[in-house]
Structures are given as C-alpha cells and as structure tokens.
Amino acid sequence: GAVVSQHPSRVICKSGTSVKIECRSLDFQATTMFWYRQFPKQSLMLMATSNEGSKATYEQGVEKDKFLINHASLTLSTLTVTSAHPEDSSFYICSVRLLAFYEQYFGPGTRLTVT
Amino acid sequence: AQSVTQLDSQVPVFEEAPVELRCNYSSSVSVYLFWYVQYPNQGLQLLLKYLSGSTLVKGINGFEAEFNKSQTSFHLRKPSVHISDTAEYFCAVSSILNDYKLSFGAGTTVTVRA
C-alpha cells in the first residue's frame, strides 16, 4: 500500500493564529487526497477532498474559508486552519486514494490543540 | 445514499479467544467494503477489503471477513486474539453513489485481556 506522512504530528497554538498541516504521499502520485477530522472516541468525519491542480471540494457544513486546502503537487496536500479557536482542537487525518483499487491509505494524524 | 452500522461499540475479549465484529451496510448499488484498525493516537491501517470475487476475504494479522450480500453484512473475525489486537476497528463502505469516498461506521473498541 501507499505510505503517507503528516507533519507535524502534534501542534499547540494560541487562539486566533493559523496552523498548517502537511500531508505527503511518499511512494505514490496522488491526484486525490482526503482530509478527515476525528473527535475523541468518535469516527472519522470527512472534511474535504483535495484534488491536485484544482480547488478542493468541501463536505456540507465545513467552512472552506476556515479550513484552507492546497494540493499543489501530486505528493503534497496542505490543510491550514485559519484563526483557530479551541473548538478546532481535534485529530486531523489525511488519506491518499489509489484509484485502481478504490482503497485509501491514511497518514498517522496530527493532534491540534488550540489554547 | 449509503451507510454503515457497526452493531457493537465495545467488545471485551480474553487473549487467545475468538472475536467477531459485526458490520452491516445499506446501499442501492454495488459497494466496496473495508475494515480498518486504529491504534491510539495513530492513523488508520487497512486490515482487508472486499472489491469483488470470493466473499471470504483474508487480511493482515490473521483477520478475515465474509461478505454476505443477502444480509448486507461484512463481519470481521479472528480465531485467536492477542493483547496487541487491542484497538479501535472501523468498517467502511464506498460506491459510485458517493464518488467512492469512504463512509465509516461508528467504530468498535476491542479490548483484549490476559
């Protein structure tokens, strides 16, 4: 399967600041990446689909101006949480989809804490 | 629309005992089915998948699952668990209805005791 990395693994920021999370596909070129959010003891919630070279597609209820996604290359997608608030504290996970098999491979996740 | 229901939120089990995690789905079209495992503070790891063909699917770490179309189920089994199998398990489905995005169940917490 694909190897996916995320950076940073853990970040603490102050309320009102912006935080960027990187997702890299290390051994596959990914035209499609996904960003998920996971609250404690809950399942994954899809936030958006990141498409290389085009605008991201956001799920209903996700603020696109707050969660900025950039997929500038076939191996890198970034999620920027703008003007972060404590309620944005969560575990953010990205994934890469291998189109030939329709399966997704996930990164290790980023724990964001907003103080 | 498609959805996934994991019938057990928590499953305690003794080491070396068998375990079964239940998953049911609903969809009006053909689906792909997946089981993922998540260890604490980590991402998800693919255990196994059903795309087509044989309904009995074998995955990593001794897990297997059986696709039952008539019962719309995809239950996960392991004949003998280890302490290291303690984790969260997610069943997921995808289909053309949702552009092959994954829809996840709520998850099942498996706790293996010595």
Side-chain angles (χ1 to χ4, degrees), chain A residues 1 8-9 13 19 21 35 39 42 70 90 94 98 100-102 107 113:
Chain A
S9 58
C13 71
V19 175
I21 302 170
W35 285 97
F39 291 105
Q42 294 189 25
N70 185 287
S90 189
C94 72
L98 301 187
F101 299 101
Y102 300 102
T113 303

Side-chain angles (χ1 to χ4, degrees), chain A residues 10 34 36 38 41-44 46 49 57 59 91 93 97 101-109 111, chain B residues 32 34 36 38 41-46 49 51 88 90 94 98-102 104-107 109:
Chain A
R10 189 178 290 266
F34 299 93
Y36 295 85
Q38 186 180 32
K41 307 292 185 184
Q42 294 189 25
S43 188
L44 278 72
L46 179 64
T49 303
T57 305
E59 296 299 304
F91 195 53
I93 308 175
R97 182 166 72 185
F101 299 101
Y102 300 102
E103 62 204 57
Q104 292 182 27
Y105 291 90
F106 289 80
R111 174 77 58 194
Chain B
Y32 297 143
F34 308 85
Y36 286 89
Q38 184 180 33
N41 295 309
Q42 294 186 28
L44 275 65
Q45 181 182 7
L46 180 65
K49 61 183 182 284
L51 303 179
E88 190 78 15
F90 292 98
S94 72
N98 199 24
D99 194 27
Y100 297 105
K101 298 175 193 176
L102 290 175
F104 285 93
T109 302

